Each structure stands twice: as C-alpha cells, then as structure tokens.
Amino acid sequence: MAAAAAMFLLLNGCGVIAETDARNSSSAAVAPSIEASSKAPVAVPTPGKGPACPSLRCASITVTGDMLVHTQLWQQARADAAAAGQPGYTFVPLLEGQRRYVSASDLAICHQETPVGNPEGPFSAYPSFNVPPQIVAAAKEIGYQACTTASNHTIDRGTEGVLRTLDALDAAGLKHTGSYRTEAASKEILLLKTPAATIAIIEGTYGHNGQIPEYPWLVDELDSAAMIAKAARARALGADIVLGVMHAGDEYASEPNAQQQDVAHALVDSGQFTMVYGHHTHSVLPIENYKGTWIVYGLGNGITELSPWYVVNNEGLLVRAQFSQNSAGAWTVSDLAWAPSVMVRDPYRWCSVASDAPQGVCASPAADAQTHQRTQSVVESMGAAAAGAHELLITKEK
C-alpha cells in the first residue's frame, strides 16, 4: 500500500496476527501484549451498562440482524432526507427505535449484509445488491461501534464492492470484520474494548450464492476449525470475551439447520467462545443454552422492506448479553435478554414490539401481539426461558 507503514506481530510462527496501516487502521484494534493480558485484573469495580452487575466487572453487548436495504428503504431514506431539508439519503429515522437499546449497552454490533455503492448511486436490490452507503453512517449515528460483513451477498459487486464497503465503514468510524482488503488483513483479530473487557469477534458465512471470491481470503467462510484457531489466537492476544458469528441457515425457517447446530456446538465445545450468534435466514430462530454457553441461532432482519409472502421476514430480534467475570477470572453470560421487533411502513421504521412498547403501537395492537407471540414461541422453543433468557424491557431499566 502506498505510503503505508505496517506492523506485524508473530505468534509461535503461525503468521500475521495484527497489521495496521494508513488505509486499514480502523479494521482491527491494536492488540495488547500477551504479557500484559496475563496480569490479574485490577480490583476496580467496572459494572458497565445494562442490568445490575453481579460481580466486580461486567460488559454488555447488543447484537442485531441483517441490515438488508431494499429499494423501498432507500426511497424512504431519500424522503426522510428531503423532509429534513437535507440532500441525498438518511436512514437515521428508520433506525431511530434501536438507539435506546444500543445506548444501554457497552458495545453494539450490527451486520452489514450487502455491499454499498457510491453516495449518488446507481443502486440495486435483490439479487445483486448495491445500496446507499448512507446506511453505514446511520448505524454509527445510532450508536453501533462495529459491524460484521461476511454474508452470502458480500461479493455481489465483486472485490470492488467489498473495498467500497470497507471504505464506507472506515469513513463512518465503524470497526469491522468478515471481509478484507488484503490477505494480511484477513489474518487480523478484531479486538474491541469496553471499560471492563476486551472482546473479539470472529465471523463466517456459509457461502456466496454460487459466486466465487476473487481471492480466497476476501471473505471469512463458515469453517469451525478455522474459527476455533482464530479464537485461540484472540485469547492469546488478550481477548476476555470471544463472540462467534454465523451467517447461515435456511431462509424463513423457524429452527436451525444441521450446519448451524454442528458449527455452533463445535465452537462451544472448543472452549474458546463465550457466546455464539447468527443471522441470514430473514427469520427469528431459537436461543439455546448448550453446555452453559448461549447460542442465538438467528436474529432475523435488523431492517428490511415488508414481504407480502413471508411475515417472518418482517420481524427481528435484538439481543443484549451481559458478561461478568467470576472470582477465577473467567467471563460468562450473566444475563441474556431479547427484544422482538417488526418493520412498519408509511413511513418505514424499525419498531420494538416488546411488552413495554417503548415506541408505542407499531403496526396495530393485534398485529403487534401476534408478532410478539410468534417471536417468543420460536425464541423459547429450545429451552431458552428455562435456562434464564428473558424479554428485554428497556423502559423498566434505570
């Protein structure tokens, strides 16, 4: 890279772990030294945001599903910009309902499902996406700090689309992982810090809709062995919490498929992951507590236009996990909470249908109740409630 200064950190001969340069500096945090990470935690209370911390140190993380920008959504964004007397597009009003949840956590992670185009277009939707980059700026404005980028649509616009999307994320100040500019960057570990903990994010996608990436390292694949190896390196670099992220599943399903369960269980069995979650199916999937570790199989859509054929497409799940450190220094989930959501139109907005109705009525009282019931029945179908997962009532928190 022109005029770029690079730093390489080698660990046991396994290759490049971290690289920073003038162009790619925001795609990965600079890792702490292994020597520093092995020191005992400082006994200073750091409860973090969210529910009352049951231990000395806590960190809360909010995750949401696919940011799937179809034509009607960018038409809405253009109308919202015009109404505000602004040029171009703004997706902030569409996402605004998420702000209250995001602000009640130490870290919020979105999923940028599709490549972005140039600010003025041309844009395209399914099957080959190229969406307004203003969606990235809006995610940052709402409070997200990072986005995953590996999906079956990542290479819809080839390598150029991947680079354009990473440039937009960098310009907005959002950290990212899942797709990369260089082979060296693909070996980096994304480490994000809260006041109490260092969090690593490791993602993989099941495929690319039959397309083949120009370079094998361009997008992270859903490979449990590779993800486990990367998680082990993240631990060695000082990660307290490691999140495994799967972009996989059967579209519009209400249960995980064999691949999702096999990969998720393998990640947990490795002992390297603190929590696993996923997206892709455009439907909410169950939450499972497997051997004491939470697996959120599918968050549904973070945003999307309304489907007249698949009602589950219009629904989503926001999940907040509070992690706490025990006396032995290990981090586990001490509270797992979920909030059901639905997309509404005229105007298009993300809207929470949680029992406390933080945004008021979304579609209608009856429709909201149906969405809530449908989401809850799926979320709890693998024993989540009995294991302690509960609804997130944001208005009840201080």
Side-chain angles (χ1 to χ4, degrees), residues 1-6 21-23:
M1 296 180 187
D21 60 37
R23 189 180 180 196

Side-chain angles (χ1 to χ4, degrees), residues 150-166:
S151 82
N152 56 308
H153 288 289
T154 302
I155 59 170
D156 277 3
R157 295 291 160 161
T159 302
E160 182 181 352
V162 172
L163 299 179
R164 195 164 52 237
T165 303
L166 299 181

Side-chain angles (χ1 to χ4, degrees), residues 139-370:
K140 176 66 174 180
E141 164 63 25
I142 291 300
Y144 288 98
Q145 292 104 320
C147 295
T148 54
T149 58
S151 82
N152 56 308
H153 288 289
T154 302
I155 59 170
D156 277 3
R157 295 291 160 161
T159 302
E160 182 181 352
V162 172
L163 299 179
R164 195 164 52 237
T165 303
L166 299 181
D167 286 346
L169 289 160
D170 286 347
L174 282 168
K175 305 293 184 182
H176 48 83
T177 190
S179 57
Y180 308 96
R181 293 188 178 92
T182 66
E183 184 174 8
S186 73
K187 297 177 181 179
E188 296 173 354
I189 309 293
L190 175 59
L191 298 176
L192 302 167
K193 290 184 176 294
T194 72
T198 298
I199 296 97
I201 306 171
I202 297 168
E203 193 202 6
T205 179
Y206 76 97
H208 307 282
N209 294 340
Q211 301 177 87
I212 300 175
E214 183 178 3
Y215 305 102
W217 44 260
L218 196 64
V219 186
D220 282 330
E221 309 295 341
L222 190 64
D223 180 328
S224 57
M227 294 174 74
I228 290 167
K230 206 167 187 178
R233 287 190 283 141
R235 294 286 187 184
L237 288 167
D240 301 302
I241 296 163
V242 180
L243 303 180
V245 188
M246 307 184 301
H247 192 80
D250 299 326
E251 291 189 350
Y252 312 117
S254 58
E255 58 187 20
N257 64 18
Q259 181 188 42
Q260 287 173 286
Q261 293 184 76
D262 288 348
V263 171
H265 289 178
L267 298 186
V268 173
D269 288 341
S270 74
Q272 298 294 337
F273 290 84
T274 323
M275 189 176 86
V276 177
Y277 72 93
H279 28 62
H280 164 64
T281 66
H282 312 305
S283 57
V284 172
L285 295 179
I287 297 176
E288 176 187 31
N289 189 286
Y290 172 72
K291 297 182 178 180
T293 298
W294 288 106
I295 302 170
V296 181
Y297 281 106
L299 295 163
N301 284 322
I303 57 169
T304 185
E305 70 181 19
L306 298 186
S307 168
W309 303 285
Y310 301 102
V311 65
V312 294
N313 176 82
N314 311 327
E315 301 167 350
L317 197 67
L318 179 150
V319 169
R320 185 186 67 192
Q322 180 197 60
F323 299 83
S324 63
Q325 186 182 40
N326 63 26
S327 58
W331 288 83
T332 57
V333 175
S334 49
D335 183 84
L336 191 81
W338 53 270
S341 65
V342 68
M343 293 298 299
V344 296
R345 60 178 298 171
D346 300 324
Y348 263 106
R349 298 290 186 258
W350 180 94
C351 193
S352 170
V353 291
S355 299
D356 58 340
Q359 295 170 258
V361 174
C362 294
S364 72
D368 291 357
Q370 290 174 354

Side-chain angles (χ1 to χ4, degrees), residues 76-149:
Q76 180 67 63
R78 183 170 57 194
D80 285 332
Q86 303 171 4
Y89 304 80
T90 177
F91 291 89
V92 172
L94 188 149
L95 288 170
E96 185 61 44
Q98 297 179 8
R99 188 191 298 269
R100 188 169 185 176
Y101 292 96
V102 166
S103 65
S105 63
D106 296 306
L107 175 66
I109 305 165
C110 63
H111 176 64
Q112 182 56 44
E113 165 88 353
T114 61
V116 304
N118 294 312
E120 301 303 323
F123 305 126
S124 62
Y126 181 84
S128 183
F129 286 89
N130 196 48
V131 309
Q134 291 87 344
I135 183 61
V136 174
K140 176 66 174 180
E141 164 63 25
I142 291 300
Y144 288 98
Q145 292 104 320
C147 295
T148 54
T149 58

